[in-house]
Amino acid sequence: MPASDSETDADDGSATGDDPAVPTERNVLETDCTRCPKLAESRECISWGTGPLDASVVVVGEAPGYGTPDADRWQGGNWTGKAYTSRHSGRRIRRMLERVGYGDDAYYTNAVKCFPADPDDPTTNREPTPEERTNCRSHLLTELEEIDPTVVLATGKHATETVLAAESRDLEGFLDSVLEPVWCDRLGVWLVPILHPSYQDVWIGRLGYEPEEYLAAIAETLDDLCRGRDSGSGK
């Protein structure tokens, strides 16, 4: 069940005036999970999912970043224990979902719930290992079963690979897959890969979009799939 948090929504000096609210609850699935010893050693908090448990859209990232522990808000899930609350990626992806009309209908989580510290620089991310992704996959599957969304919006290559792995499928060319819905039989959801918020400024143009066109394409894709569910088709 969601765990309450007393964190306030105070301004940290980086707000733009249209920032989405900082989440105040998280969906704790396993208190003090220690399935991955190296992750348990390097994390500050387990970064659990946030958002309504009946959401139509589940946003999946790869893993929490190190974050900014001295920020009053948007510190990052490694410090807040809440997925997608970093000052850059969290604000950007949450703002995007608000702009396309799903701000109140999206649940945010990560494929790997703990910060994977680089052994050479504990404040820098490394990629989660295949074993860590496998160990944490059951948490993601539990979330998808509990929430029963229409769409999984996977942000970036690694998040997309993790969702496909649950279907025993491989990713063949991430950029070619962006905004191309894939029906997942085992999960019972539509998978829609999108660019990771940290890298979208670099890649949007290479996909042939202007920023507003990319946003409109996300909105159109979500509307088409979610309307399909409402009308009794697609799921």
Side-chain angles (χ1 to χ4, degrees), residues 217-233:
I218 293 174
E220 181 179 3
T221 301
L222 291 179
D223 286 347
D224 286 348
L225 296 175
C226 290
R227 278 202 303 267
R229 182 190 200 190
D230 293 341
S231 64
S233 62

Side-chain angles (χ1 to χ4, degrees), residues 51-227:
L53 300 185
D54 59 352
S56 298
V57 178
V58 169
V59 180
V60 178
E62 179 184 16
Y66 178 72
T68 309
D70 57 348
D72 290 332
R73 64 197 298 253
W74 300 106
Q75 298 158 300
N78 184 44
W79 300 93
T80 65
K82 308 183 194 87
Y84 260 136
T85 54
S86 76
R87 297 175 74 181
H88 177 67
S89 297
R91 285 188 300 159
R92 174 168 278 199
I93 193 68
R94 288 174 183 272
R95 190 182 300 136
M96 175 187 291
L97 267 291
E98 285 197 353
R99 291 185 64 190
V100 300
Y102 290 84
D104 296 325
D105 198 18
Y107 177 95
Y108 299 84
T109 191
N110 286 308
V112 173
K113 313 299 186 191
C114 297
F115 166 64
D118 187 320
D120 295 328
D121 180 0
T123 67
T124 301
N125 299 45
R126 61 167 172 81
E127 287 189 12
T129 66
E131 181 181 10
E132 289 165 348
R133 290 190 178 111
T134 299
N135 287 346
C136 211
R137 190 172 299 135
S138 64
H139 288 322
L140 178 60
L141 296 180
T142 296
E143 289 173 302
L144 294 179
E145 181 177 358
E146 182 175 320
I147 296 163
D148 188 27
T150 304
V151 175
V152 169
L153 205 62
T155 62
K157 174 183 177 181
H158 298 299
T160 302
E161 287 177 331
T162 293
V163 177
L164 287 175
E167 293 279 307
S168 298
R169 296 167 67 173
D170 295 323
L171 176 63
E172 297 180 6
F174 172 68
L175 289 181
D176 291 337
S177 74
V178 171
L179 289 176
E180 293 292 333
V182 176
W183 176 248
C184 297
D185 287 315
R186 295 182 183 178
L187 300 178
V189 299
W190 286 101
L191 169 63
V192 178
I194 63 171
L195 299 171
H196 191 281
S198 293
Y199 302 106
Q200 69 181 40
D201 292 342
V202 174
W203 290 105
I204 283 178
R206 301 184 191 185
L207 290 175
Y209 290 106
E210 294 293 333
E212 289 301 320
E213 292 173 338
Y214 176 67
L215 193 67
I218 293 174
E220 181 179 3
T221 301
L222 291 179
D223 286 347
D224 286 348
L225 296 175
C226 290
R227 278 202 303 267

